[in-house]
Amino acid sequence: HVTTVPAAAGEALIGPFGPARGRVYLSIATGTGGTAAAEAAVAAVAMVIAERRVLMEGPVNFRDIGGYTGHDGRAVRWGLVFRSDALLLSDRDVEVFAGLGIRTVYDLRSSMERDSIPNRLPDERRPEVVVVPLVSEDPAANPLEAIEAGDGENFLEQLYIHILERSAANFGRVLAGLAQAERLPAVYHCAAGKDRTGMVSAVLLSILGVPLDDILDDYELTGRYRTTEHVQASMDRLGRDQNLPPEVVAGMLRAPRWAMQSALGHVADRYGDLDGYLTGPAGAAPDVPDRLRDLLLRP
């Protein structure tokens, strides 16, 4: 729904916008004065904004991917696709999560991660959980062991390329799911919401035509939201479970723009573009890129 407020020439028109799911959306347009002019301005609304981060007590990196400008200048719709870290929901979070109307959860974690840190989801109207690990479940195929240790940021670049290539089919499963209206709203997540989640976001936003700088800005936001406790827990886990040197771990916990840009460039160079990656090695149907743009971009 849209609530319009008549405004004098040059003033903004601001009102709540979107479905009543507990989140506030604002539509902003310029009016020229008078009720008729206000209605005309809202009919051609220039921008819809909302708070990107959904505040929760458990997940610290739960974010809406809406609002970015995509293909043909069309904005990515708010409230349909979310990205997150592990869904360790408190009692209050359960209510917030339920208010988002989420129908599908795509869990990108390994079985070991799911067993050690199980998600907590609402019992009523429980969403469907689709397990799509982006790291092989076979210990012998662990990508962290297949990549040479060195500088942590270089390690991340190699890791991203490795996962994009080796787990292409599961990227295709997630993105094909997001192209189905009956499965939305949806959230995909890993443990920290940075690397595997960041790659899915980067591929999806690229297909939606979002400029590279905006995609990399979205990737970097994890560094703003993660707490010292979350960073330390990740350092302990990587050092203990993967036996990685501290300097490598420290680099892996950053979100270097160049590493994500390099991984996206590798995929685009090899497959022509991200559409080619999705319909090629990722195995999605030929119409999935267009269906994603039709469904997730505003008219």
Side-chain angles (χ1 to χ4, degrees):
H1 64 280
V2 177
T3 300
T4 63
V5 180
E11 291 183 358
L13 298 172
I14 303 177
F17 182 92
R21 294 192 188 125
R23 276 166 60 73
V24 175
Y25 299 81
L26 301 180
S27 59
I28 301 178
T30 301
T32 57
T35 301
E39 292 175 353
V42 172
V45 64
M47 182 182 299
V48 177
I49 63 173
E51 177 64 37
R52 184 163 303 285
R53 182 186 179 192
V54 180
L55 290 176
M56 295 193 186
E57 296 171 341
V60 297
N61 201 13
F62 195 110
R63 312 198 316 252
D64 194 324
I65 70 159
Y68 295 115
T69 300
H71 187 68
D72 287 339
R74 297 160 60 195
V76 180
R77 291 179 181 274
W78 291 100
L80 288 183
V81 179
F82 299 87
R83 52 173 293 172
S84 183
D85 47 340
L87 299 175
L88 306 176
L89 305 183
S90 68
D91 289 344
R92 175 189 172 277
D93 294 342
V94 167
E95 295 183 12
V96 174
F97 186 95
L100 298 174
I102 289 174
R103 296 176 178 174
T104 314
V105 173
Y106 295 94
D107 193 333
L108 312 179
R109 301 175 300 167
S110 67
S111 59
M112 183 176 69
E113 291 174 299
R114 297 193 304 273
D115 290 342
S116 62
I117 309 177
N119 285 338
R120 181 192 179 192
L121 297 171
D123 291 325
E124 296 184 12
R125 292 194 302 176
R126 189 176 182 84
E128 177 188 4
V129 177
V130 181
V131 175
V132 276
L134 293 190
V135 174
S136 174
E137 300 278 20
D138 180 0
N142 187 339
L144 297 180
E145 297 177 3
I147 299 172
E148 282 187 30
D151 174 81
E153 293 191 3
N154 286 307
F155 192 91
L156 270 186
E157 177 203 23
Q158 296 175 65
L159 177 65
Y160 291 169
I161 293 172
H162 182 100
I163 293 176
L164 283 162
E165 293 284 10
R166 298 296 180 88
S167 297
N170 277 351
F171 279 91
R173 286 184 63 197
V174 175
L175 293 173
L178 296 176
Q180 299 176 49
E182 65 274 15
R183 289 182 172 270
L184 300 178
V187 58
Y188 50 86
H189 76 93
C190 56
K194 179 176 77 76
D195 299 315
R196 289 163 289 184
T197 298
M199 283 187 285
V200 171
S201 295
V203 172
L204 173 59
L205 293 174
S206 294
I207 289 168
L208 296 179
V210 174
L212 179 60
D213 279 346
D214 289 340
I215 294 172
L216 300 179
D217 286 346
D218 187 80
Y219 168 61
E220 285 187 310
L221 280 178
T222 293
R224 179 184 303 178
Y225 298 137
R226 295 193 74 196
T227 65
T228 301
E229 291 77 13
H230 284 85
V231 171
Q232 187 60 54
S234 294
M235 290 189 70
D236 293 343
R237 177 175 55 82
L238 288 169
R240 178 186 66 249
D241 297 344
Q242 305 299 337
N243 196 30
L244 293 170
E247 62 274 14
V248 174
V249 172
M252 289 180 67
L253 294 179
R254 292 192 285 270
R257 294 173 72 92
W258 74 269
M260 183 61 76
Q261 181 173 358
S262 175
L264 291 175
H266 167 87
V267 170
D269 289 344
R270 184 164 185 183
Y271 302 106
D273 55 20
L274 274 298
D275 281 27
Y277 169 76
L278 181 56
T279 58
D287 66 339
V288 166
D290 283 337
R291 285 199 285 121
L292 284 169
R293 288 186 282 265
D294 289 342
L295 189 58
L296 300 181
L297 294 175
R298 288 174 57 79

